[in-house]
């Protein structure tokens, strides 16, 4: 953004059209950024290159916005009024976007569609500007035509988001994808190769049906055998029901409480034919109670006691 602000000094003529073109460029690049990154992740070895290039480009374009807008409005307002209005609107807009993005847009629409929505909003600003800002008629026609083209591309991108996601995931996973689902918390992918089923959450392998028993048997049986008579068992995480499957092999267990954040996971492993076969329909067992909430918050509020507590969270991970 600092680079963009510095470069703004080289924009001297036709500031209003240039400002609107900057808005269109932000809408186009920002709108397609998620789609570009989705597609490049499975195709490019050094994924960081397009990532950083997009960050730099968007940063430069955003950095151009405020200085150019200040220069456009300097004849209309006193300096202190100008700065306070422009910056306050900028900060309020950034605040609203930062709140709505994680709470509403990303969980409801997914990252790709959210990118296109924000791009469309930028194009809307540019179109609105062609009506409220003083422009020559020839410039108005050109800018509106550019806006229509960019808007059409963004709407098409939004409409074909599922297809773009499908192709990007096909290149990322070598096996057949039999299920893909975006939940409020994560991206769920289930693949199949012959009789082997694999679960991926946000691109990270959680288990393979070929050898998951090794992990779950080791997780469950030593702990339960160490207790003389385990009757009440708590599982934190483990929404796939595979740990619960092993717990239910102990006949003296009377109740199992499973606390997992994502209801989509527990629903899939309760209802989906192949997945519920893996856990032997453990989540539907009358001894099992499934609670979909944050495990840490639930622990703070619960006054229940258990004989054995098992933690089956995904491994922590980040991009770097």
């Amino acid at each position: 953004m600092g680079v963009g602000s510095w470069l703004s000094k080289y924009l001297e003529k036709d500031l209003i059209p240039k400002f609107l073109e900057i808005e269109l460029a932000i809408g186009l690049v920002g709108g397609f950024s998620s789609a570009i990154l989705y597609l490049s992740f499975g195709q490019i070895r050094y994924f960081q290159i397009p990532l950083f290039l997009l960050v730099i480009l968007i940063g430069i374009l955003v950095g151009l916005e405020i200085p150019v807008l200040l220069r456009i409005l300097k004849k209309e307002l006193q300096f202190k009024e100008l700065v306070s209005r422009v910056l306050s609107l900028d900060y309020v807009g950034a605040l609203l976007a930062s709140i709505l993005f994680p709470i509403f847009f990303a969980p409801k629409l997914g990252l790709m569609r959210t990118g296109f929505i924000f791009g469309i909003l930028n194009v809307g600003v540019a179109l609105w500007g062609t009506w409220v800002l003083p422009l020559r008629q020839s410039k108005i026609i050109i800018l509106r035509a550019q806006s229509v083209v960019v808007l059409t591309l963004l709407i098409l991108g939004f409409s074909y988001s599922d297809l773009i996601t499908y192709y990007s995931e096909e290149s990322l996973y070598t096996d057949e994808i039999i299920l893909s689902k975006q939940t409020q918390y994560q991206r769920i992918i289930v693949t199949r190769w012959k009789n082997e089923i694999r679960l991926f959450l946000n691109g990270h392998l959680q288990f393979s049906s070929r050898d998951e028993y090794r992990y779950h048997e080791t997780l469950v049986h030593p702990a339960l055998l160490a207790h003389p008579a385990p009757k009440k068992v708590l599982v934190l995480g483990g929404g796939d029901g595979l740990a619960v499957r092993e717990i239910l092999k102990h006949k003296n267990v009377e109740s199992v409480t499973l606390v997992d954040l994502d209801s989509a996971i527990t629903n899939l492993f309760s209802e989906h034919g192949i997945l519920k076969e893996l856990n032997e329909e453990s989540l539907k067992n009358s001894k099992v109670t499934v609670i979909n909430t944050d495990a840490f918050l639930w622990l703070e509020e619960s006054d229940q006691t258990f004989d054995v507590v098992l933690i089956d969270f995904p491994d922590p991970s980040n991009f770097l």
Side-chain angles (χ1 to χ4, degrees):
M1 291 176 66
V3 173
S5 297
W6 178 77
L7 290 174
S8 67
K9 68 181 181 179
Y10 295 104
L11 301 178
E12 297 179 355
K13 298 180 180 180
D14 295 328
L15 290 181
I16 293 176
K18 285 184 171 63
F19 172 74
L20 298 180
E21 287 170 351
I22 290 168
E23 291 299 313
L24 290 176
I26 293 172
L28 182 64
V29 177
F32 276 93
S33 59
S34 292
I36 293 169
L37 293 176
Y38 262 81
L39 291 169
S40 61
F41 186 76
Q43 302 289 341
I44 300 176
R45 181 177 181 182
Y46 296 104
F47 169 71
Q48 295 91 333
I49 293 175
L51 172 63
F52 292 139
L53 286 176
L54 281 170
V55 169
I56 291 169
L57 179 57
I58 293 172
I60 290 173
L61 291 171
V62 172
L64 286 167
E65 275 185 304
I66 299 301
V68 172
L69 184 59
L70 288 171
R71 289 163 62 188
I72 291 171
L73 298 176
K74 68 179 181 180
K75 294 180 181 179
E76 306 294 329
L77 300 168
Q78 292 184 353
F79 181 74
K80 64 177 182 179
E81 185 72 15
L82 172 64
V83 172
S84 66
R85 284 194 186 184
V86 171
L87 293 184
S88 61
L89 288 173
D90 181 57
Y91 294 150
V92 169
L95 175 63
L96 289 174
S98 63
I99 292 173
L100 291 174
F101 178 81
I103 294 176
F104 176 76
F105 285 110
K108 300 295 183 183
L109 299 176
L111 291 175
M112 193 177 301
R113 282 196 175 93
T114 299
F116 287 121
I117 286 292
F118 278 96
I120 289 169
L121 290 175
N122 269 91
V123 176
V125 170
L127 270 174
W128 175 69
T130 63
W131 269 277
V132 300
L133 295 174
L135 289 163
R136 296 194 303 273
Q137 187 62 33
S138 59
K139 285 290 185 181
I140 291 175
I141 295 172
I142 293 171
L143 285 166
R144 287 179 182 172
Q146 291 172 335
S147 299
V148 169
V149 171
V150 175
L151 184 61
T152 302
L153 291 173
L154 291 169
I155 291 173
L156 286 172
F158 182 90
S159 302
Y160 287 95
S161 291
D162 288 339
L163 189 61
I164 297 171
T165 302
Y166 172 79
Y167 280 117
S168 65
E169 289 174 345
E170 280 289 308
S171 64
L172 188 61
Y173 300 96
T174 56
D175 300 334
E176 176 194 4
I177 297 174
I178 61 172
L179 186 148
S180 63
K181 183 179 180 66
Q182 177 67 48
T183 77
Q184 184 177 356
Y185 304 104
Q186 57 201 340
R187 182 74 178 171
I188 303 171
I189 300 290
V190 179
T191 67
R192 175 173 56 195
W193 182 74
K194 295 184 178 180
N195 294 325
E196 181 181 0
I197 303 297
R198 293 185 177 187
L199 171 68
F200 295 84
L201 298 180
N202 292 332
H204 299 285
L205 177 65
Q206 301 303 303
F207 72 76
S208 166
S209 61
R210 177 179 294 182
D211 59 4
E212 55 80 14
Y213 69 91
R214 298 174 182 173
Y215 168 79
H216 292 102
E217 288 179 356
T218 305
L219 173 70
V220 171
H221 298 306
L224 267 70
L225 291 172
H227 194 288
K231 294 183 178 181
K232 294 182 64 179
V233 180
L234 171 65
V235 181
L236 303 177
D240 51 36
L242 299 174
V244 176
R245 176 196 66 199
E246 298 301 318
I247 293 170
L248 293 174
K249 292 178 180 178
H250 294 256
K251 301 304 180 183
N252 53 335
V253 170
E254 296 177 356
S255 68
V256 180
T257 301
L258 183 142
V259 183
D260 191 277
L261 180 63
D262 198 343
S263 61
I265 285 286
T266 53
N267 289 338
L268 280 174
F269 280 86
S270 297
E271 306 296 338
H272 192 282
I274 294 175
L275 300 180
K276 68 180 182 180
E277 285 180 11
L278 289 177
N279 62 32
E280 299 175 6
E281 300 195 40
S282 62
L283 298 181
K284 288 190 170 184
N285 192 286
S286 59
K287 295 181 179 180
V288 178
T289 300
V290 176
I291 300 172
N292 293 119
T293 189
D294 186 290
F296 292 104
L297 297 179
W298 185 85
L299 283 173
E300 289 181 351
E301 297 172 358
S302 176
D303 57 359
Q304 297 185 54
T305 58
F306 298 90
D307 300 314
V308 177
V309 178
L310 301 172
I311 299 175
D312 189 15
F313 294 141
D315 293 334
S317 61
N318 57 47
F319 173 68
L320 296 176

